[in-house]
Amino acid sequence: MTTFASDNYAPAHPDVLAALAAASAGHEISYGEDPWTGRLQDVVRDRFGPDAAAYPVLTGTGANVVALMATLPRWGAVVASEHAHLNTDENGAPERVGGVKVLTVPAPDGRLTPAAVERFAGDLGDPHRAQPLVVSLTQATELGTVYTPEQVRAVADAAHAHGMRVHLDGSRLANAAASLDLPLRALTTDAGVDVLSFGGTKNGLALGEAVLVLDPSAVDGVEFVRKATMQLASKMRYVSAQLLALFEPVGAPVADVDELADADELWLRNARHANAMAARLRAGLEGSAGSGVVFTQPTEANAVFATLPRAVVQRLRERHRFYDWAPGETPDRVEVRWMCAWDTTVPDIDEFVADVHAALAEVERPVAR
């Protein structure tokens, strides 16, 4: 059964596994005082700016909670899209664990605009209101769309003008940078982002993410928050080594996995491939637009959103795994999300496209009387 459910389903990249093996060659000091975590700081400063600092954590939810708790006072709130992962898919962790009120804004394409800042700016200074002191963006968004640097900067400028900070949930930042053909810094530090949750598991890691502090003045006590929220790994070298593998080669490249192993850093190769597979999937179904497939969002990264007849979805699930996203235009239709990953293959895509066409034809075939 092929899967288009989530890029989290993908295995760890062989280069990441090689990095784990290399990091397991004896005893090292725990809790981040190891060579891999030290080297990670150098790499992060090189990619994101001289003031940047990395705090490896265990999960994406943990990264978001640590980042927000370190950026907000106890009375603070975060402004986010109604679709934001920190609002819909983290079981209330920012509020339950961090005491952070989430203030949601409608975002039909997943992207916030400066209007989202202005929507809550009037609450600043009002003791009856949770104080909107952080704006959180997701890149790429939960709906598969991508912010340009100019769009990020517009929100950041509006937020900073009111004394708010900007957090970016970058679980798929690599896919956004690959889509726009820009360096990571262009979408973060240079666009006004203060704190970043940098994704790893959706882009080839077995386990691990990182809180990247881009502006040190934006946070307080990250190291204490990380420990208090159970996100401080004792054997941190295993998280740091994986993150390093996204930026630096680990021994000989794995040629049978990626023919471009000498050309780009692993984070970019993986993201470009996942994006290309999503583009191929969309292109293969464009011809079905008049016979049951209705695309609901642009395909700008590694996700395809569309509505189909529920009967078609039921047939497809006999051979493929993916998630329903929302109700469709009518009760007999449903919106689905198809995600591609670093290991999605051309045959995977072509087989799935053929199965979609076949299921559509079967459902639409007139019933013999």
Side-chain angles (χ1 to χ4, degrees):
M1 178 175 285
T2 57
T3 176
F4 295 94
S6 175
D7 34 11
N8 276 328
Y9 280 40
H13 191 280
D15 287 355
V16 171
L17 294 177
L20 280 170
S24 198
H27 285 226
E28 290 292 346
I29 302 175
S30 58
Y31 296 109
E33 294 186 52
D34 59 85
W36 291 270
T37 304
R39 176 58 187 157
L40 180 62
Q41 304 303 324
D42 296 334
V43 169
V44 165
R45 285 191 291 269
D46 180 67
R47 303 310 193 278
F48 292 91
D51 295 327
Y55 296 85
V57 295
L58 300 174
T59 68
T61 297
N64 285 339
V65 170
V66 169
L68 293 175
M69 287 182 67
T71 311
L72 285 166
R74 189 66 180 84
W75 52 90
V78 57
V79 178
S81 156
E82 62 184 338
H83 306 290
H85 196 278
L86 62 86
N87 176 54
T88 63
D89 289 284
E90 296 183 349
N91 196 17
E95 297 181 338
R96 293 174 186 270
V97 178
V100 175
K101 175 68 175 176
V102 180
L103 305 171
T104 60
V105 178
D109 67 353
R111 288 176 284 222
L112 294 182
T113 68
V117 176
E118 302 304 329
R119 181 187 181 101
F120 289 102
D123 291 342
L124 289 167
D126 184 345
H128 299 284
R129 306 286 184 181
Q131 294 297 284
L133 296 174
V134 169
V135 178
S136 181
L137 311 177
T138 307
Q139 180 78 300
T141 75
E142 290 80 6
L143 299 184
T145 52
V146 168
Y147 288 93
T148 65
E150 293 77 17
Q151 289 171 322
V152 176
R153 171 56 72 180
V155 175
D157 285 349
H160 292 155
H162 290 287
M164 303 178 190
R165 293 296 190 173
V166 178
H167 165 258
L168 192 142
D169 181 344
S171 60
R172 296 187 178 97
L173 175 63
N175 299 94
S179 174
L180 296 171
D181 195 23
L182 290 171
L184 297 169
R185 176 171 175 161
L187 293 172
T188 54
T189 313
D190 294 345
V193 174
D194 299 305
V195 185
L196 165 66
S197 297
F198 182 75
T201 52
K202 291 180 172 63
N203 198 27
L205 267 63
L207 170 72
E209 321 281 323
V211 174
L212 302 188
V213 175
L214 307 180
D215 181 354
S217 69
V219 300
D220 186 27
V222 182
E223 61 273 28
F224 303 111
V225 172
R226 180 173 57 172
K227 177 63 175 181
T229 54
M230 297 170 285
Q231 289 294 314
L232 179 66
S234 59
K235 296 184 179 181
M236 195 181 298
R237 56 174 152 154
Y238 293 108
V239 181
S240 299
Q242 292 180 79
L243 291 165
L244 272 177
L246 294 177
F247 298 99
E248 296 185 333
V250 182
V254 184
D256 61 338
V257 174
D258 191 346
E259 295 179 355
L260 300 177
D262 292 325
D264 297 305
E265 294 176 349
L266 182 60
W267 70 266
L268 182 55
R269 301 199 310 269
N270 285 351
R272 278 181 173 163
H273 177 80
N275 291 359
M277 293 300 97
R280 185 181 183 92
L281 173 56
R282 172 126 184 185
L285 295 176
E286 290 283 0
S288 301
S291 60
V293 177
V294 177
F295 298 105
T296 56
Q297 296 291 341
T299 301
E300 297 178 349
N302 62 323
V304 178
F305 287 81
T307 62
L308 294 90
R310 291 183 182 274
V312 171
V313 170
Q314 182 177 354
R315 284 168 170 77
L316 289 173
R317 284 218 167 90
E318 295 174 2
R319 296 188 60 193
H320 310 280
R321 185 175 177 86
F322 54 89
Y323 290 126
D324 292 351
W325 187 260
E329 309 92 324
T330 57
D332 64 334
R333 294 178 64 84
V334 63
E335 185 179 25
V336 299
R337 184 191 75 169
W338 297 316
M339 295 296 305
C340 297
W342 73 264
D343 69 331
T344 304
T345 66
V346 169
D348 289 340
I349 297 296
D350 293 349
E351 178 187 30
F352 182 67
V353 168
D355 285 349
V356 173
H357 286 303
L360 285 168
E362 184 178 348
V363 169
E364 294 172 357
R365 186 180 301 128
V367 177
R369 294 182 180 276

mmCIF file of all heavy atoms in Angstrom, residues 3-32:
data_model
loop_
_atom_site.group_PDB
_atom_site.id
_atom_site.type_symbol
_atom_site.label_atom_id
_atom_site.label_comp_id
_atom_site.label_asym_id
_atom_site.label_seq_id
_atom_site.Cartn_x
_atom_site.Cartn_y
_atom_site.Cartn_z
ATOM 1 N N THR A 3 1.597 5.282 0.282
ATOM 2 C CA THR A 3 1.024 6.259 1.199
ATOM 3 C C THR A 3 1.300 7.669 0.737
ATOM 4 O O THR A 3 2.422 8.009 0.347
ATOM 5 C CB THR A 3 1.561 6.071 2.623
ATOM 6 O OG1 THR A 3 1.053 7.115 3.466
ATOM 7 C CG2 THR A 3 3.079 6.100 2.656
ATOM 8 N N PHE A 4 0.243 8.471 0.769
ATOM 9 C CA PHE A 4 0.348 9.906 0.532
ATOM 10 C C PHE A 4 -0.253 10.646 1.725
ATOM 11 O O PHE A 4 -0.739 11.760 1.587
ATOM 12 C CB PHE A 4 -0.368 10.283 -0.770
ATOM 13 C CG PHE A 4 0.270 9.684 -1.997
ATOM 14 C CD1 PHE A 4 -0.187 8.484 -2.518
ATOM 15 C CD2 PHE A 4 1.354 10.301 -2.597
ATOM 16 C CE1 PHE A 4 0.422 7.916 -3.632
ATOM 17 C CE2 PHE A 4 1.970 9.742 -3.706
ATOM 18 C CZ PHE A 4 1.499 8.544 -4.233
ATOM 19 N N ALA A 5 -0.221 9.987 2.881
ATOM 20 C CA ALA A 5 -0.858 10.539 4.064
ATOM 21 C C ALA A 5 -0.050 11.676 4.677
ATOM 22 O O ALA A 5 -0.589 12.715 5.037
ATOM 23 C CB ALA A 5 -1.085 9.441 5.099
ATOM 24 N N SER A 6 1.261 11.473 4.814
ATOM 25 C CA SER A 6 2.091 12.494 5.463
ATOM 26 C C SER A 6 3.551 12.235 5.155
ATOM 27 O O SER A 6 3.975 11.077 5.033
ATOM 28 C CB SER A 6 1.885 12.478 6.975
ATOM 29 O OG SER A 6 2.773 13.376 7.624
ATOM 30 N N ASP A 7 4.328 13.308 5.055
ATOM 31 C CA ASP A 7 5.769 13.157 4.924
ATOM 32 C C ASP A 7 6.392 12.640 6.218
ATOM 33 O O ASP A 7 7.557 12.244 6.241
ATOM 34 C CB ASP A 7 6.436 14.460 4.473
ATOM 35 C CG ASP A 7 5.761 15.704 5.019
ATOM 36 O OD1 ASP A 7 4.902 15.580 5.911
ATOM 37 O OD2 ASP A 7 6.068 16.806 4.537
ATOM 38 N N ASN A 8 5.609 12.613 7.307
ATOM 39 C CA ASN A 8 6.075 11.973 8.532
ATOM 40 C C ASN A 8 6.140 10.452 8.401
ATOM 41 O O ASN A 8 6.781 9.784 9.209
ATOM 42 C CB ASN A 8 5.152 12.315 9.709
ATOM 43 C CG ASN A 8 5.487 13.639 10.349
ATOM 44 O OD1 ASN A 8 6.635 14.049 10.391
ATOM 45 N ND2 ASN A 8 4.467 14.326 10.843
ATOM 46 N N TYR A 9 5.430 9.904 7.412
ATOM 47 C CA TYR A 9 5.439 8.455 7.223
ATOM 48 C C TYR A 9 6.764 7.966 6.645
ATOM 49 O O TYR A 9 7.089 6.788 6.733
ATOM 50 C CB TYR A 9 4.322 8.037 6.265
ATOM 51 C CG TYR A 9 2.939 7.933 6.857
ATOM 52 C CD1 TYR A 9 2.470 8.864 7.785
ATOM 53 C CD2 TYR A 9 2.077 6.922 6.465
ATOM 54 C CE1 TYR A 9 1.192 8.768 8.301
ATOM 55 C CE2 TYR A 9 0.799 6.823 6.973
ATOM 56 C CZ TYR A 9 0.351 7.742 7.892
ATOM 57 O OH TYR A 9 -0.915 7.643 8.393
ATOM 58 N N ALA A 10 7.500 8.845 5.991
ATOM 59 C CA ALA A 10 8.711 8.436 5.276
ATOM 60 C C ALA A 10 9.778 7.936 6.245
ATOM 61 O O ALA A 10 9.853 8.377 7.402
ATOM 62 C CB ALA A 10 9.259 9.607 4.463
ATOM 63 N N PRO A 11 10.636 7.035 5.787
ATOM 64 C CA PRO A 11 11.725 6.564 6.640
ATOM 65 C C PRO A 11 12.807 7.626 6.788
ATOM 66 O O PRO A 11 12.776 8.664 6.106
ATOM 67 C CB PRO A 11 12.262 5.351 5.878
ATOM 68 C CG PRO A 11 11.983 5.679 4.445
ATOM 69 C CD PRO A 11 10.665 6.407 4.441
ATOM 70 N N ALA A 12 13.741 7.355 7.658
ATOM 71 C CA ALA A 12 14.902 8.235 7.763
ATOM 72 C C ALA A 12 15.772 8.059 6.524
ATOM 73 O O ALA A 12 15.936 6.954 6.009
ATOM 74 C CB ALA A 12 15.699 7.918 9.016
ATOM 75 N N HIS A 13 16.328 9.162 6.056
ATOM 76 C CA HIS A 13 17.222 9.109 4.898
ATOM 77 C C HIS A 13 18.492 8.332 5.261
ATOM 78 O O HIS A 13 18.989 8.436 6.395
ATOM 79 C CB HIS A 13 17.586 10.532 4.465
ATOM 80 C CG HIS A 13 18.274 10.612 3.145
ATOM 81 N ND1 HIS A 13 19.614 10.348 3.002
ATOM 82 C CD2 HIS A 13 17.817 10.923 1.902
ATOM 83 C CE1 HIS A 13 19.951 10.493 1.732
ATOM 84 N NE2 HIS A 13 18.883 10.846 1.051
ATOM 85 N N PRO A 14 19.048 7.541 4.341
ATOM 86 C CA PRO A 14 20.271 6.786 4.650
ATOM 87 C C PRO A 14 21.416 7.655 5.151
ATOM 88 O O PRO A 14 22.199 7.221 6.011
ATOM 89 C CB PRO A 14 20.618 6.125 3.309
ATOM 90 C CG PRO A 14 19.299 5.967 2.632
ATOM 91 C CD PRO A 14 18.507 7.182 3.021
ATOM 92 N N ASP A 15 21.552 8.886 4.635
ATOM 93 C CA ASP A 15 22.616 9.763 5.130
ATOM 94 C C ASP A 15 22.386 10.152 6.585
ATOM 95 O O ASP A 15 23.336 10.366 7.340
ATOM 96 C CB ASP A 15 22.715 11.015 4.261
ATOM 97 C CG ASP A 15 23.324 10.730 2.894
ATOM 98 O OD1 ASP A 15 23.754 9.578 2.670
ATOM 99 O OD2 ASP A 15 23.359 11.649 2.055
ATOM 100 N N VAL A 16 21.126 10.276 6.969
ATOM 101 C CA VAL A 16 20.808 10.580 8.365
ATOM 102 C C VAL A 16 21.139 9.386 9.249
ATOM 103 O O VAL A 16 21.699 9.538 10.346
ATOM 104 C CB VAL A 16 19.326 10.972 8.497
ATOM 105 C CG1 VAL A 16 18.917 11.074 9.962
ATOM 106 C CG2 VAL A 16 19.067 12.301 7.780
ATOM 107 N N LEU A 17 20.818 8.193 8.771
ATOM 108 C CA LEU A 17 21.168 6.997 9.532
ATOM 109 C C LEU A 17 22.683 6.852 9.650
ATOM 110 O O LEU A 17 23.198 6.422 10.697
ATOM 111 C CB LEU A 17 20.566 5.767 8.864
ATOM 112 C CG LEU A 17 19.028 5.701 8.859
ATOM 113 C CD1 LEU A 17 18.554 4.468 8.098
ATOM 114 C CD2 LEU A 17 18.491 5.698 10.281
ATOM 115 N N ALA A 18 23.395 7.218 8.589
ATOM 116 C CA ALA A 18 24.856 7.185 8.648
ATOM 117 C C ALA A 18 25.379 8.175 9.685
ATOM 118 O O ALA A 18 26.361 7.901 10.393
ATOM 119 C CB ALA A 18 25.438 7.495 7.274
ATOM 120 N N ALA A 19 24.735 9.327 9.766
ATOM 121 C CA ALA A 19 25.138 10.318 10.765
ATOM 122 C C ALA A 19 24.905 9.801 12.181
ATOM 123 O O ALA A 19 25.719 10.034 13.083
ATOM 124 C CB ALA A 19 24.368 11.620 10.544
ATOM 125 N N LEU A 20 23.798 9.100 12.376
ATOM 126 C CA LEU A 20 23.535 8.505 13.686
ATOM 127 C C LEU A 20 24.597 7.475 14.047
ATOM 128 O O LEU A 20 25.084 7.438 15.185
ATOM 129 C CB LEU A 20 22.159 7.850 13.683
ATOM 130 C CG LEU A 20 20.955 8.771 13.877
ATOM 131 C CD1 LEU A 20 19.661 8.014 13.596
ATOM 132 C CD2 LEU A 20 20.940 9.352 15.278
ATOM 133 N N ALA A 21 24.947 6.663 13.077
ATOM 134 C CA ALA A 21 25.976 5.645 13.338
ATOM 135 C C ALA A 21 27.310 6.292 13.669
ATOM 136 O O ALA A 21 28.021 5.855 14.586
ATOM 137 C CB ALA A 21 26.110 4.732 12.119
ATOM 138 N N ALA A 22 27.660 7.345 12.928
ATOM 139 C CA ALA A 22 28.928 8.024 13.182
ATOM 140 C C ALA A 22 28.960 8.676 14.557
ATOM 141 O O ALA A 22 30.015 8.775 15.191
ATOM 142 C CB ALA A 22 29.177 9.066 12.099
ATOM 143 N N ALA A 23 27.790 9.119 15.023
ATOM 144 C CA ALA A 23 27.723 9.770 16.334
ATOM 145 C C ALA A 23 27.755 8.765 17.479
ATOM 146 O O ALA A 23 27.844 9.161 18.652
ATOM 147 C CB ALA A 23 26.456 10.617 16.435
ATOM 148 N N SER A 24 27.694 7.481 17.164
ATOM 149 C CA SER A 24 27.610 6.452 18.190
ATOM 150 C C SER A 24 28.937 5.732 18.406
ATOM 151 O O SER A 24 28.969 4.564 18.775
ATOM 152 C CB SER A 24 26.524 5.437 17.813
ATOM 153 O OG SER A 24 26.133 4.685 18.945
ATOM 154 N N ALA A 25 30.023 6.447 18.200
ATOM 155 C CA ALA A 25 31.354 5.829 18.278
ATOM 156 C C ALA A 25 32.029 6.103 19.611
ATOM 157 O O ALA A 25 33.143 6.617 19.673
ATOM 158 C CB ALA A 25 32.220 6.330 17.138
ATOM 159 N N GLY A 26 31.361 5.789 20.695
ATOM 160 C CA GLY A 26 31.979 5.950 22.000
ATOM 161 C C GLY A 26 31.221 6.888 22.911
ATOM 162 O O GLY A 26 30.107 7.329 22.607
ATOM 163 N N HIS A 27 31.830 7.237 24.026
ATOM 164 C CA HIS A 27 31.211 8.115 25.009
ATOM 165 C C HIS A 27 31.410 9.581 24.611
ATOM 166 O O HIS A 27 32.458 9.962 24.099
ATOM 167 C CB HIS A 27 31.824 7.892 26.396
ATOM 168 C CG HIS A 27 31.358 6.636 27.052
ATOM 169 N ND1 HIS A 27 30.959 6.583 28.370
ATOM 170 C CD2 HIS A 27 31.224 5.373 26.578
ATOM 171 C CE1 HIS A 27 30.609 5.351 28.687
ATOM 172 N NE2 HIS A 27 30.771 4.596 27.611
ATOM 173 N N GLU A 28 30.385 10.391 24.869
ATOM 174 C CA GLU A 28 30.480 11.845 24.700
ATOM 175 C C GLU A 28 29.722 12.508 25.843
ATOM 176 O O GLU A 28 28.796 11.921 26.419
ATOM 177 C CB GLU A 28 29.889 12.287 23.360
ATOM 178 C CG GLU A 28 30.689 11.882 22.141
ATOM 179 C CD GLU A 28 32.039 12.604 22.028
ATOM 180 O OE1 GLU A 28 32.231 13.603 22.737
ATOM 181 O OE2 GLU A 28 32.881 12.138 21.238
ATOM 182 N N ILE A 29 30.090 13.744 26.128
ATOM 183 C CA ILE A 29 29.414 14.494 27.184
ATOM 184 C C ILE A 29 27.948 14.674 26.798
ATOM 185 O O ILE A 29 27.619 14.925 25.646
ATOM 186 C CB ILE A 29 30.092 15.853 27.411
ATOM 187 C CG1 ILE A 29 31.561 15.640 27.764
ATOM 188 C CG2 ILE A 29 29.391 16.626 28.525
ATOM 189 C CD1 ILE A 29 32.346 16.927 27.885
ATOM 190 N N SER A 30 27.071 14.555 27.771
ATOM 191 C CA SER A 30 25.635 14.606 27.515
ATOM 192 C C SER A 30 25.099 16.040 27.561
ATOM 193 O O SER A 30 25.825 16.997 27.829
ATOM 194 C CB SER A 30 24.889 13.737 28.535
ATOM 195 O OG SER A 30 25.178 14.180 29.854
ATOM 196 N N TYR A 31 23.804 16.140 27.269
ATOM 197 C CA TYR A 31 23.044 17.388 27.366
ATOM 198 C C TYR A 31 23.610 18.521 26.517
ATOM 199 O O TYR A 31 23.541 19.691 26.878
ATOM 200 C CB TYR A 31 22.904 17.833 28.828
ATOM 201 C CG TYR A 31 22.101 16.867 29.654
ATOM 202 C CD1 TYR A 31 22.719 16.070 30.617
ATOM 203 C CD2 TYR A 31 20.726 16.713 29.450
ATOM 204 C CE1 TYR A 31 21.983 15.154 31.367
ATOM 205 C CE2 TYR A 31 19.989 15.810 30.192
ATOM 206 C CZ TYR A 31 20.619 15.032 31.147
ATOM 207 O OH TYR A 31 19.895 14.131 31.882
ATOM 208 N N GLY A 32 24.190 18.177 25.362
ATOM 209 C CA GLY A 32 24.580 19.204 24.400
ATOM 210 C C GLY A 32 26.023 19.642 24.429
ATOM 211 O O GLY A 32 26.425 20.454 23.588
#
